[in-house]
Amino acid sequence: MQSDYDVAVIGAGINGAVAAAAASAAGLRVLLVDKGDFANFTSQESSNLVWGGIKYLQTYEFGLVAKLCQARNRLIRAYPNQIKEIGFLASLGPNAPFGRLLGTFGTLFYWGIGLMGTPLPSSYSAKKAKELEPNLISGRKAVQYFDAHLPDNDSRFVYDFIKKAKHNSTKALNYTELVGAKRNQEVWHLDFKSHEGSFSATALTVVNAAGPFAKNVAELFGSPTKARLVFSKGVHFTINRKLTQGDRVLAFWDEQNRLFYVLPMGDRSMIGTTDTRVDAPQTEANDEDIEFVLRQINAQLELAEPITKEEIVSARSGVRPLVIDGSQGDNQDWHQLSRKHVIETNPDAAVVSILGGKLTDCLNVGKEVLTELNRLGLGGKLPRKWFGEGSQQRFPELVQIVQSLVSDTAAATRISEGLWRRHGEQSFEIIVSGDLAEVFEGLGICYAELQWIAQHEDVMTREDLLRRRLPIAMARSASEIANNQKLQALLVDVGL
């Protein structure tokens, strides 16, 4: 059977990106498309956490927690710069479902079920908790456990898998929509529409990785899934001050007894998330969300000045696609649904569909998709190292060069760490031909990097560059960006 590709992956969020990376690493010919930018929907709206799901202990999903913890540990080892261990200091206020004793036991159990892959948890008196984080309310004890986070952003991490897939000869296209599909003589004939026009391609198999839109894509392929999705809306707000004393996450329970966090966002803080049942994937943060989040955080901190709406720098709103069995009704308590993923294969149509999931479990998704593709007869085999950052040997060399070119020692450290985290050895290509001044002081992003990304990383719009390839638009307001004349000139110069 002749075809252009062995597999066409529809959707380039984390599931599609890792599926393409795994399939191409296994030697398969891969086409990856997304109707928007890469990671432009659910995969750009997360809390930037890589975690084992400690909250699932409350619903006794021990197997899921163990699996997610092992996935987290694996990612931490493979991505020592892009994924960093971080402490979660949980303040045990009146909304917490347990006290210090049970909290200490729970975090130790979480540490144990995670095979002790993170630092040992700690338990703090109210006095010590206040010393660690002066903004906490006096008189509240705390426990600390460890998970991990993405110092940049989720969509940047997704793009790392896109780059790996492209390195393995994947054809990856953003702003390319699947508009027609027909199966003929065991080959899929696919029609696409992009900003450059229309084109067609053929593939032996297809992977439906459309996230919240998986049902629509399944219908286009005539391959409906047994499992279904319901949607939970979550919002985050970045504010223009840093609420934590150290480099840690603050964890609280809101008035609905749900966990929410104060998370690092560059040199500022991000607050979230909410959990609101919605009927459609398209969402936005509204006044009700703002009022709710600000009410929660101001009730959980002892601040000289309460946080106000005017301090919000940026907002992010997305849905969690939660998997339910096709026989279940829609009226169940979605708060009890976990972020598990389900992979369904239709052998007759040669369609693999990915439903649900979370970033932490992405490597398992990639391997499982390849297993299903092999069941369909493709015969790909993964090498041992198909993901990860690779050698760290040249990082000291990069630091030395940047320090020789940037007079401010703190800025040089931020810039060299940021470049290496996002680009590895490609950083040397960036620093030899550009301006290493920080675009915004404190972010560790220089003009040379911005220009290089615009030219080399499939950037079509300003949002692609400032929101997804880099977290500038998450950590700085629209007015701050607009008033940076040097940045605006660069954007014009690169055609954005």
Side-chain angles (χ1 to χ4, degrees), residues 240 268 312-314 440 472-483:
N240 62 3
R268 292 175 171 175
I312 294 175
V313 171
S314 65
F440 289 100
I472 292 176
M474 295 165 62
R476 292 296 183 269
S477 67
S479 61
E480 287 174 298
I481 292 171
N483 291 331

Side-chain angles (χ1 to χ4, degrees), residues 89-153:
L89 187 66
S91 177
L92 303 177
N95 295 333
F98 45 76
R100 184 182 179 185
L101 181 62
L102 187 56
T104 301
F105 173 78
T107 55
L108 285 170
F109 182 69
Y110 184 58
W111 178 66
I113 206 171
L115 303 179
M116 296 162 281
T118 56
L120 184 69
S122 303
S123 175
Y124 298 108
S125 65
K127 180 181 178 181
K128 183 61 178 176
K130 185 71 172 176
E131 290 174 1
L132 284 173
E133 291 293 344
N135 284 332
L136 293 181
I137 291 177
S138 302
R140 294 187 178 180
K141 300 169 185 177
V143 293
Q144 181 169 260
Y145 62 94
F146 289 82
D147 269 313
H149 79 128
L150 298 161
D152 290 310
N153 53 327

Side-chain angles (χ1 to χ4, degrees), residues 264-494:
M265 177 48 65
D267 54 351
R268 292 175 171 175
S269 290
M270 182 171 71
I271 309 165
T273 176
T274 58
D275 188 8
T276 308
R277 175 70 181 273
V278 292
D279 295 326
Q282 296 87 354
T283 65
E284 61 181 24
N286 54 36
D287 289 341
E288 186 178 348
D289 297 322
I290 294 172
E291 191 277 331
F292 178 82
V293 170
L294 293 185
R295 186 171 73 247
Q296 305 314 307
I297 192 59
N298 284 322
Q300 298 291 343
L301 292 177
E302 239 170 33
L303 301 171
E305 296 290 336
I307 302 166
T308 65
K309 181 178 180 179
E310 288 68 34
E311 294 179 76
I312 294 175
V313 171
S314 65
R316 42 201 322 213
S317 175
V319 293
R320 307 169 187 89
L322 303 172
V323 180
I324 61 174
D325 185 87
S327 63
Q328 291 177 290
D330 289 342
N331 295 322
Q332 61 185 304
D333 182 5
W334 76 92
H335 291 99
Q336 300 300 316
L337 295 175
S338 63
R339 297 290 303 280
K340 66 182 180 181
H341 68 265
V342 170
I343 296 179
E344 294 188 13
T345 301
N346 182 339
D348 296 330
V351 175
V352 178
S353 294
I354 311 168
L355 302 169
K358 58 192 282 110
L359 184 145
T360 305
D361 211 20
C362 63
L363 299 181
N364 288 325
V365 170
K367 288 184 66 176
E368 290 169 26
V369 167
L370 183 63
T371 297
E372 295 305 305
L373 292 174
N374 286 341
R375 282 182 55 206
L376 297 175
L378 294 187
K381 184 177 181 181
L382 271 177
R384 188 177 66 87
K385 290 295 291 181
W386 61 277
F387 58 90
E389 293 181 3
S391 172
Q392 304 294 309
Q393 291 184 354
R394 296 193 67 189
F395 177 56
E397 180 186 348
L398 178 71
V399 173
Q400 188 175 17
I401 295 173
V402 174
Q403 287 178 341
S404 71
L405 298 172
V406 178
S407 57
D408 186 311
T409 302
T413 298
R414 290 192 297 266
I415 291 166
S416 55
E417 289 179 351
L419 284 169
W420 188 260
R421 186 169 66 242
R422 291 183 286 271
H423 306 283
E425 292 191 1
Q426 283 185 321
S427 301
F428 293 98
E429 298 176 30
I430 297 172
I431 62 176
V432 296
S433 60
D435 183 352
L436 295 189
E438 279 187 295
V439 179
F440 289 100
E441 183 179 356
L443 288 189
I445 299 169
C446 64
Y447 288 98
E449 181 183 8
L450 209 63
Q451 188 163 24
W452 192 92
I453 290 175
Q455 294 168 346
H456 293 89
E457 293 193 348
D458 304 295
V459 169
M460 301 287 183
T461 71
R462 290 189 173 195
E463 187 180 17
D464 299 345
L465 177 62
L466 302 180
R467 171 66 175 83
R468 284 180 284 276
R469 305 298 183 275
L470 292 166
I472 292 176
M474 295 165 62
R476 292 296 183 269
S477 67
S479 61
E480 287 174 298
I481 292 171
N483 291 331
N484 187 326
Q485 295 181 5
K486 187 175 178 180
L487 170 58
Q488 292 299 317
L490 183 148
L491 294 172
V492 173
D493 186 54
V494 298

Side-chain angles (χ1 to χ4, degrees), residues 65-79:
V65 174
K67 180 183 177 183
L68 290 176
C69 283
Q70 290 172 36
R72 174 204 63 197
N73 297 346
R74 197 174 173 201
L75 285 171
I76 290 172
R77 292 192 298 267
Y79 296 92

Side-chain angles (χ1 to χ4, degrees), residues 233-270:
K233 172 186 172 183
V235 302
H236 300 82
F237 300 104
T238 300
I239 61 169
N240 62 3
R241 54 170 140 163
K242 196 169 182 65
L243 297 175
T244 54
Q245 191 80 359
D247 186 20
R248 62 170 58 90
V249 174
L250 302 183
F252 307 98
W253 283 264
D254 65 22
E255 62 194 38
Q256 299 174 353
N257 301 115
R258 264 188 47 83
L259 272 169
F260 78 101
Y261 303 101
V262 172
L263 304 136
M265 177 48 65
D267 54 351
R268 292 175 171 175
S269 290
M270 182 171 71

